Amino acid sequence: MDAVLDEAAGKRARGLDRAFEILDFLREKRQALKPNEIAAQIGAPRSSVYELVNLLLRNGILEFTGGEGRVYLGRKLYFLGAAYENHFDFTRECEAALERLADETRETAQFCMLDGNKYTVVRMREGARPFRISTDVGQSVPIPWTASGRVLVTHMTDAEILAFIPAQDFQLPSGEWLDPATFLAEVRAAEGDGHFTFNSIVDSFTHCFAVPVMGDAGHAVATLCLVAPRADGLANREQYLACLKDAARRLGGHAPAQAQRA
């Protein structure tokens, strides 16, 4: 009897894991897809994907959109996210920190975290410049592409970092490959300096700044960042770093336990 119960519990756990895999996949793709397309691209049995998609549709976690049976993330997820935000003062503190940074520097300010083994912008406040520098909030990006990526893995050993980051993520948007040894050296420099800045390797006209938001465990649980036009970023480097570090120091004490364990 216990073996039967254990098997049933195992099936439920695997189904839950697969459901989250579907949600994460749709978030990554940023487009509505048919269940058979989802199944093919995540390498899952079509029957189980159809079953889970129907369950998620019934509960409002997914919604039909775009016709031809395509599904995408549902509004229930928005309400769940809003409830999470309302539970923590940290969200309000984060918004206030980004607003101060954008006002003080006139540059685009971001709050960034790891999502699994990828980097993502969680919050953003655009600067007061006549042209926009922005990033898609919530989009997963390879860690080696970002200034924050160097800061967010400083608590790991070199071996842990190389095991954590997928090998293909060292291929840059240009198609060139970043030498992992170079990346590790930059991580250790960020650890020693308490920040990391560089000319963006994603585009050719911005300079990026990242400083850690420290958790109770003594390592970075998030970063505060500025994205500036390259010439202005280099000219105002020390001022921008001072603003970031002051904001990160204030914000660190408010980080919720969930973020600190991420």
Side-chain angles (χ1 to χ4, degrees), residues 195 197 209 211 236-246:
H195 63 260
T197 79
F209 300 77
V211 303
N236 297 291
R237 184 175 186 275
E238 298 308 317
Q239 176 200 344
Y240 288 178
L241 281 173
C243 290
L244 279 169
K245 289 183 177 181
D246 179 63

Side-chain angles (χ1 to χ4, degrees), residues 122-184:
V122 179
R123 294 282 180 179
M124 182 174 67
R125 174 69 184 269
E126 291 183 353
R129 293 185 172 277
F131 60 94
R132 298 176 61 185
I133 298 177
S134 62
T135 303
D136 290 337
V137 173
Q139 183 174 5
S140 295
V141 175
I143 290 170
W145 294 11
T146 68
S148 286
R150 276 82 174 158
V151 175
L152 289 167
V153 297
T154 54
H155 62 289
M156 300 181 184
T157 66
D158 288 0
E160 288 171 339
I161 291 170
L162 294 180
F164 180 64
I165 299 175
Q168 64 270 22
D169 284 4
F170 287 98
Q171 185 173 26
L172 304 178
S174 65
E176 298 179 356
W177 287 86
L178 174 64
D179 184 355
T182 299
F183 177 78
L184 292 175

